[in-house]
Amino acid sequence: MSAEQLRLGVNIDHVATVRNARGGAYPDPIRAAKIAEQAGADGITAHLREDRRHITDADIDGLMAALSVPLNFEMAATDEMQKIALRHKPHAVCIVPEKREERTTEGGLEVAREENRLAHFIAPLREVGCRVSIFIAADQRQIEAAHRIGAQVIELHTGAYCDAHAEGDYAARDRELEALREMSAFAHSLGLEVHAGHGLTYETVQPIAAFPEVRELNIGHFLIGEAIFMGLEPAVRQMRRLMDEARA
Ligand code: PXP
């Protein structure tokens, strides 16, 4: 297959993390989102967590009003989040697992175990026009279940691949990469749109960006960290450049 254009979704959660460390108004995640847009982001991703530890309800209101690119609204499969999504009708909703005590989204969603509930949960979101994405591990069983419940998109969790790279365990990294490659192709063969993300950096992005089936990468923490050193606009531009290079 020919590689279609690869979109970059910039996750601005951790601008809000820094803001909330002091409880004031800055740095402003909406300003960050607008800068990311100018730097070539095709979308903005924000995760409204149950405990509101970073993005707040007001941030979602602000993003919906201010963005020129689509918002990818990450949320847990709870009634509260479903109501908020149905009120805003963002372009995309990404369903993620959420545990209060975790530092970040640790694994993919267990779709296979909760198929019935999730099918009912996403149906109204699809009805109002949201593209529904499910964040899952590179596991055939989960992909098949995501397909059966009617998701249009899956986002593959790249965390284990990135962690293995950071730890210098290159054999594990290559195994994870191979699983991601195979499962991207498998999901695409079912007609699902394939996205990927979590933990991606300048060092780890290119092998994933080179998978022709992957249409979108969602990247946050590393970019916000790099922004401290070089500014957000150059940090996003550099990621965009590496993605385009890998794709070419
Ligand atoms: N995709 C999903 C579904 C996520 O939950 C996250 C983290 O919020 C990301 C992508 C971005 O991960 P990171 O901040 O590590 O780049």
Side-chain angles (χ1 to χ4, degrees), residues 137-154:
D139 173 340
Q140 183 165 335
R141 229 167 40 90
Q142 302 298 340
I143 294 170
E144 285 168 344
H147 181 242
R148 280 195 299 272
I149 66 170
Q152 295 118 308
V153 180
I154 55 147

Side-chain angles (χ1 to χ4, degrees), residues 72-113:
N72 176 30
F73 179 62
E74 276 185 24
M75 57 178 237
T78 65
D79 291 346
E80 182 201 16
M81 289 301 152
Q82 190 194 49
K83 274 199 201 94
I84 294 170
L86 290 173
R87 190 169 76 238
H88 284 297
K89 303 182 186 61
H91 165 80
V93 166
C94 181
I95 313 290
V96 300
E98 204 174 292
K99 291 189 226 116
R100 226 167 231 277
E101 64 281 8
E102 71 189 354
R103 235 186 283 166
T104 181
T105 314
E106 281 165 1
L109 197 68
E110 248 301 331
V111 199
R113 221 187 292 150

Side-chain angles (χ1 to χ4, degrees), residues 18-34:
V18 177
R19 177 196 59 195
N20 296 358
R22 282 292 175 91
Y26 59 85
D28 175 12
I30 315 251
R31 182 173 167 206
K34 297 302 287 179

Side-chain angles (χ1 to χ4, degrees), residues 9-247:
V10 173
N11 180 317
I12 43 113
D13 291 351
H14 296 300
V15 179
T17 303
V18 177
R19 177 196 59 195
N20 296 358
R22 282 292 175 91
Y26 59 85
D28 175 12
I30 315 251
R31 182 173 167 206
K34 297 302 287 179
I35 292 171
E37 263 183 25
Q38 283 158 26
D42 303 289
I44 297 296
T45 295
H47 183 179
L48 185 66
R49 292 186 80 102
E50 190 192 359
D51 62 8
R52 310 302 198 266
R53 70 175 72 155
H54 38 57
I55 292 295
T56 63
D57 300 70
D59 291 330
I60 298 295
D61 294 345
L63 288 166
M64 285 301 297
L67 290 182
S68 324
V69 294
L71 176 67
N72 176 30
F73 179 62
E74 276 185 24
M75 57 178 237
T78 65
D79 291 346
E80 182 201 16
M81 289 301 152
Q82 190 194 49
K83 274 199 201 94
I84 294 170
L86 290 173
R87 190 169 76 238
H88 284 297
K89 303 182 186 61
H91 165 80
V93 166
C94 181
I95 313 290
V96 300
E98 204 174 292
K99 291 189 226 116
R100 226 167 231 277
E101 64 281 8
E102 71 189 354
R103 235 186 283 166
T104 181
T105 314
E106 281 165 1
L109 197 68
E110 248 301 331
V111 199
R113 221 187 292 150
E114 282 200 282
E115 224 174 292
N116 237 331
R117 183 178 89 82
L118 287 170
H120 284 101
F121 184 83
I122 68 171
L125 297 166
R126 285 199 52 166
E127 271 161 33
V128 299
C130 297
R131 271 176 85 69
V132 176
S133 168
I134 312 279
F135 189 47
I136 48 179
D139 173 340
Q140 183 165 335
R141 229 167 40 90
Q142 302 298 340
I143 294 170
E144 285 168 344
H147 181 242
R148 280 195 299 272
I149 66 170
Q152 295 118 308
V153 180
I154 55 147
E155 180 165 331
L156 292 175
H157 197 311
T158 52
Y161 154 72
C162 292
D163 287 348
H165 177 81
E167 286 157 15
D169 186 347
Y170 299 129
R173 176 198 62 188
D174 293 347
R175 274 196 307 277
E176 294 294 340
L177 191 61
E178 201 41 44
L180 288 162
R181 184 198 318 280
E182 277 176 24
M183 289 304 110
S184 301
F186 176 69
H188 183 266
S189 75
L190 295 180
L192 289 160
E193 183 169 309
V194 183
H195 299 176
H198 208 280
L200 291 169
T201 66
Y202 295 151
E203 284 187 8
T204 51
V205 73
Q206 288 198 311
I208 305 287
F211 297 167
E213 298 86 3
V214 173
R215 295 294 312 279
E216 179 175 308
L217 299 180
N218 285 300
I219 308 178
H221 185 262
F222 175 80
L223 285 176
I224 303 308
E226 279 304 287
I228 294 170
F229 302 108
M230 65 160 103
L232 184 56
E233 185 160 349
V236 173
R237 280 194 197 288
Q238 170 72 351
M239 190 60 84
R240 176 87 261 171
R241 193 184 64 68
L242 290 169
M243 285 165 54
D244 292 344
E245 195 180 277
R247 204 69 168 184

